[in-house]
Amino acid sequence: MRGTWKARLVAAAGAASMIGAAVASPAIAAGPATERQLGTAGLVQWCARKFDEAQRHDMESFRDFDRAGWEAGHDDDAITIYSNGRIVQGREAIGESQRNHFNNRNATWTWTEKTRAVDGCSTGTIVYDATYAIPSQGFVIRQIISVTYTFKQGKWLTVVDQGTQIPVS
């Protein structure tokens, strides 16, 4: 059953607030080794490595105008909250909301990681200082972007992506 976006946002925020909680030994739905083979410490390291790969793919596929690759890294019911307050839910709707970015291919996308927290193979959040620019239009926006991921069926997927506009330096 499909809940409202508000209920899902509250649930996602609750999941994000638990990132600092102690790590239980989650089972992995797919992957090169089982927890028994890796041990708890090995599992945590494997999950952190997979998280790093997923977040890098997310940022680089957007930068490189790879819409299919970028969308594939989003959960079916992912939520994006733009800095103007606009809320878009669903992998396809989020992709469509970025149609001009992928079609026009005239923007630059740069970022610096500020911090991250990964809770085993459960949830992860990463915060960036990012700048999106369209030089030909004189457009520049700088944001602090927080992206929360969940681990499903052996891979990390974006569930909430929110940007807060800050002054361009």
Side-chain angles (χ1 to χ4, degrees):
M1 178 191 277
R2 191 170 171 90
T4 67
W5 67 267
K6 288 180 183 177
R8 289 172 186 252
L9 184 57
V10 169
S17 70
M18 294 174 51
I19 288 173
V23 176
S25 296
I28 295 181
T34 65
E35 180 180 355
R36 174 176 257 157
Q37 292 168 320
L38 290 172
T40 301
L43 177 64
V44 169
Q45 291 172 348
W46 182 84
C47 291
R49 198 167 48 255
K50 290 298 180 185
F51 177 82
D52 190 59
E53 292 170 9
Q55 66 81 25
R56 188 175 329 104
H57 180 265
D58 181 28
M59 299 300 278
E60 291 176 357
S61 61
F62 188 78
R63 177 197 66 198
D64 298 341
F65 309 105
D66 175 6
R67 181 174 176 172
W70 183 71
E71 284 183 10
H74 286 70
D75 187 66
D76 290 340
D77 293 322
I79 298 167
T80 291
I81 305 169
Y82 291 103
S83 61
N84 65 3
R86 179 176 171 217
I87 298 169
V88 180
Q89 184 173 9
R91 175 187 297 138
E92 291 178 18
I94 292 168
E96 187 58 23
S97 75
Q98 292 294 329
R99 174 178 17 107
N100 289 340
H101 167 77
F102 291 105
N103 290 345
N104 296 342
R105 304 175 70 89
N106 62 350
T108 60
W109 175 239
T110 58
W111 64 92
T112 302
E113 180 179 330
K114 301 306 276 182
T115 190
R116 73 171 63 190
V118 181
D119 182 15
C121 279
S122 176
T123 58
T125 299
I126 192 161
V127 177
Y128 305 99
D129 181 334
T131 301
Y132 184 84
I134 305 173
S136 64
Q137 297 177 13
F139 177 83
V140 178
I141 186 171
R142 183 174 168 216
Q143 299 180 356
I144 296 297
I145 297 177
S146 174
V147 185
T148 300
Y149 296 80
T150 189
F151 193 78
K152 282 187 175 177
Q153 298 175 345
K155 61 185 176 180
W156 288 101
L157 298 170
T158 299
V159 289
V160 179
D161 183 338
Q162 181 170 4
T164 301
Q165 189 170 342
I166 60 174
V168 175
S169 51

